[in-house]
Amino acid sequence: NIDIRQAMDPFMGRGAFAKRFLASGTVVAPAPLQCFEDRAVFQKTKPEQLYVNYCLQPKNSKMIFFPYGPGVGLINHSIDKANVEFKWSRNAMHHSGWLSLSYNDFWKVATPGGLILDVVATRDILPGEELFLNYGTDWDTAWGKHVQEWLSPNGANDYIYPEDMDETGILRTLQEQKINPYPENLALLCNTPDWERKESYHIDWAEPEHEWAEGMVYCHIIERTIAKNGDVEYTVALDFHTQKGKKTTRSYNDSKPFERQYVDRKVPRRAIRWIEKPYYDDEHMERAFRHPISFPKDLVPSAWKTKL
C-alpha cells in the first residue's frame, strides 16, 4: 500500500505515498513493535541516537517502542493534513492479552513483534497521495522550539555532503592533506580486488570480480602517479576495521612500516569513492533534533499508566 519517494515538502526528505486507493478504515500497513523498557539505552551518545525519532513513547514514561512496519517510519508529521492513525491490530499475531498484564509481567514476556499496531486510514486516500501522521502536540511543540532556537553547530561551515564532492577529481595524498585537508566528515573508500587478504600486503590493482559493495574498504592516498597512457593512478593504504571499529593488525597505522601496510598500487580514480564517516552526517551533529513520536493516549494500557 505504501510507495516511498521524495516528500512533497523537500525539507522533509523522503515520504510515504499511497500506492492505490485506500478507503477510510483500511489498514495501510502493520507496525510490529520493538519494545524497550527504558529510553536511556539510546542516550549513551551525544546527541541521543537518531533511532528515538522513529519511536513511540507514552507521555511521562521511560518506555519506548519502535514500529518497524514497511514504510511506516517514513510517514511524515502533519496535524492539519493527517490522514492515517495508529490503532491496535486485530491480527492474530498481535498478543492483545499482553495489554492487560501488570507492568512487571508485561516486561517478562515482551518480545519483538509481539505487539502490533496498525496504520489505519482516517479518510479515503487517493492513489499517489502522501500519507501523514499526527505525531502529537508534544512533538509538534518540541519541533517548533527546536526551529526557533536552532543555532548552527560547531564545524557546520566545513561540512560537505559526499554527493557534492567531485568523483572524477584529482585526490590529494596524505602529505598534501596536512596542508590542505579534506572536510573532517568525509572519508575515502577503495574498491579493492582482494578485500579478504591476510598476508598479501602489497598488490597491483585489478578489476574486481565482485560487485562494488563487497570490496568497499576505507583507504588513504599515499601516492599519485601518471601511468604510461596518461591516466592518473593512486597508491592507497587500506584500512580494514573489525565490526566494533577496533584497530587490528589490518588497520592503517602511519607508524607501522610501509611494507607492512595493506596497499593497492595502480588504482584508477573510478575505484575510489567519497563516503560519510560513521556518525559524522548532519543528523548526528551537535544540537540535532531528537524527540520520539507521542504514543496515542487512548492506546496506552491502564497497567502501563501506573508507571507513568
Side-chain angles (χ1 to χ4, degrees):
N1 291 334
I2 293 179
D3 185 31
I4 304 301
R5 59 177 187 265
Q6 175 67 44
M8 297 300 292
D9 182 343
F11 291 102
M12 287 185 173
R14 292 184 295 169
F17 294 78
K19 274 188 174 181
R20 55 185 62 85
F21 175 76
L22 301 170
S24 179
T26 299
V27 175
V28 179
L33 298 178
Q34 176 81 318
C35 309
F36 302 92
E37 189 171 3
D38 195 333
R39 178 178 169 180
V41 298
F42 304 111
Q43 296 173 331
K44 298 177 182 180
T45 60
K46 292 184 178 181
E48 186 177 9
Q49 291 183 34
L50 180 65
Y51 192 78
V52 301
N53 282 7
Y54 299 89
C55 290
L56 299 163
Q57 185 174 18
K59 189 176 180 64
N60 300 321
S61 172
K62 294 181 179 180
M63 296 183 289
I64 196 165
F65 302 85
F66 175 64
Y68 57 91
V72 172
L74 293 173
I75 301 176
N76 287 314
H77 165 70
S78 177
I79 293 178
D80 299 332
K81 295 183 287 185
N83 51 14
V84 297
E85 65 180 357
F86 283 121
K87 288 188 176 182
W88 286 118
S89 178
R90 296 182 180 180
N91 189 291
M93 299 297 290
H94 169 57
H95 292 68
S96 59
W98 291 4
L99 302 177
S100 60
L101 294 176
S102 69
Y103 180 88
N104 291 333
D105 286 343
F106 169 73
W107 288 108
K108 289 178 183 178
V109 300
T111 54
L115 292 181
I116 303 175
L117 289 171
D118 282 338
V119 177
V120 179
T122 59
R123 62 167 175 79
D124 290 350
I125 301 173
L126 299 176
E129 189 174 349
E130 186 167 4
L131 305 178
F132 290 101
L133 174 73
N134 183 352
Y135 289 6
T137 54
D138 286 348
W139 188 97
D140 196 69
T141 300
W143 175 250
K145 185 174 185 290
H146 173 77
V147 171
Q148 184 177 11
E149 299 179 357
W150 187 84
L151 296 173
S152 180
N154 296 328
N157 292 336
D158 298 324
Y159 180 90
I160 294 182
Y161 289 98
E163 295 82 2
D164 292 335
M165 298 296 289
D166 183 358
E167 289 289 7
T168 62
I170 297 296
L171 296 171
R172 297 193 285 273
T173 65
L174 285 178
Q175 191 64 32
E176 292 170 336
Q177 291 176 47
K178 291 179 180 179
I179 300 173
N180 188 12
Y182 287 117
E184 187 181 8
N185 65 296
L186 297 179
L188 288 168
L189 292 178
C190 177
N191 189 13
T192 179
D194 188 3
W195 60 281
E196 291 184 307
R197 77 180 85 170
K198 294 182 180 179
E199 299 299 334
S200 300
Y201 292 104
H202 291 216
I203 65 170
D204 287 340
W205 190 89
E207 197 71 44
E209 297 179 358
H210 48 69
E211 295 295 329
W212 164 257
E214 294 185 23
M216 293 189 299
V217 179
Y218 286 101
C219 68
H220 307 274
I221 308 298
I222 302 300
E223 186 179 34
R224 183 180 60 249
T225 56
I226 304 297
K228 292 181 179 180
N229 63 1
D231 291 343
V232 177
E233 294 181 337
Y234 296 90
T235 298
V236 304
L238 303 176
D239 198 353
F240 295 95
H241 291 278
T242 64
Q243 290 183 345
K244 295 183 179 180
K246 295 180 179 178
K247 292 293 183 179
T248 70
T249 55
R250 298 205 309 153
S251 298
Y252 173 74
N253 187 333
D254 58 7
S255 64
K256 187 166 59 176
F258 182 68
E259 61 271 12
R260 299 289 292 178
Q261 305 278 8
Y262 288 88
V263 172
D264 280 7
R265 300 179 296 250
K266 301 180 181 179
V267 181
R269 179 63 181 86
R270 60 185 171 81
I272 304 173
R273 308 274 184 91
W274 288 104
I275 192 173
E276 189 100 52
K277 291 179 183 176
Y279 302 106
Y280 271 80
D281 53 4
D282 51 359
E283 60 197 16
H284 291 96
M285 280 186 168
E286 182 184 3
R287 296 187 290 274
F289 181 71
R290 295 290 187 271
H291 200 285
I293 299 166
S294 297
F295 205 113
K297 293 180 181 178
D298 60 327
L299 299 184
V300 178
S302 57
W304 294 2
K305 293 179 181 179
T306 61
K307 290 290 183 179
L308 300 185

